[in-house]
Amino acid sequence: GALELASGSSSSTSCAAETAPCHGTRACCLPSINSASELCVSDDGRFLYISNCGFGRGSEDSVSVFGLDPATGAARWIQSAVARGHPRHFKTLQNSSALVVALHKSKALARYMVDRSSGQLVLCSQHAVGYPLTSIAVCELLR
């Protein structure tokens, strides 16, 4: 449904659904919204990965994993791996065995290991880069 803001003349606004004032910003009044930034199907076509940037209370910053039915293409939710800091672009590495994610607000890169049998992600490391990231490019050297 629609979100209604309580009217008033003070500099603080409050939400009809909230009891605490927003202290000059309407960010806390926003509904929980997740916005997909990047979509990618695994090399073998079995899994779909989606980066979610969360806005508002109760939203999530994550990389969601879905299994894809080989006959119909229907998606089945498997996991939402936490990716704090507005995950944007990501790139799969080494035949889909790893995933590198650009974290815009955290100003960092996160590296996840990919379980090839289940598609699930496990966070391995996160490295600060000092500036907001919206995309990444990866050059893999083959041995």
Side-chain angles (χ1 to χ4, degrees), residues 122-134:
V122 176
L123 179 63
C124 294
S125 61
Q126 188 167 319
H127 300 283
V129 295
Y131 50 88
L133 296 169
T134 55

Side-chain angles (χ1 to χ4, degrees), residues 4-61:
E4 294 181 20
L5 300 178
S7 60
S9 59
S10 69
S11 62
S12 293
T13 58
S14 59
C15 303
E18 305 261 351
T19 57
C22 294
H23 301 292
T25 178
R26 293 178 186 224
C28 71
C29 299
L30 294 175
S32 175
I33 298 170
N34 287 331
S35 174
S37 292
E38 180 79 13
L39 303 166
C40 179
V41 175
S42 61
D43 290 342
D44 61 9
R46 296 174 49 218
F47 304 105
L48 171 66
Y49 296 93
I50 303 172
S51 60
N52 300 301
C53 292
F55 301 93
R57 285 190 177 176
S59 63
E60 72 177 41
D61 284 349

Side-chain angles (χ1 to χ4, degrees), residues 17-131:
E18 305 261 351
T19 57
C22 294
H23 301 292
T25 178
R26 293 178 186 224
C28 71
C29 299
L30 294 175
S32 175
I33 298 170
N34 287 331
S35 174
S37 292
E38 180 79 13
L39 303 166
C40 179
V41 175
S42 61
D43 290 342
D44 61 9
R46 296 174 49 218
F47 304 105
L48 171 66
Y49 296 93
I50 303 172
S51 60
N52 300 301
C53 292
F55 301 93
R57 285 190 177 176
S59 63
E60 72 177 41
D61 284 349
S62 66
V63 178
S64 292
V65 183
F66 292 85
L68 298 176
D69 183 288
T72 66
R76 167 187 55 80
W77 180 84
I78 294 174
Q79 174 194 27
S80 286
V82 174
R84 289 192 175 89
H86 275 70
R88 300 290 294 237
H89 182 75
F90 59 84
K91 179 71 178 152
T92 57
L93 304 176
Q94 304 160 0
N95 293 329
S96 299
S97 64
L99 188 84
V100 177
V101 181
L103 300 170
H104 183 75
K105 281 190 175 180
S106 293
K107 302 177 182 177
L109 288 170
R111 182 172 173 258
Y112 296 83
M113 291 305 298
V114 178
D115 181 316
R116 288 188 186 176
S117 63
S118 69
Q120 290 190 332
L121 302 175
V122 176
L123 179 63
C124 294
S125 61
Q126 188 167 319
H127 300 283
V129 295
Y131 50 88

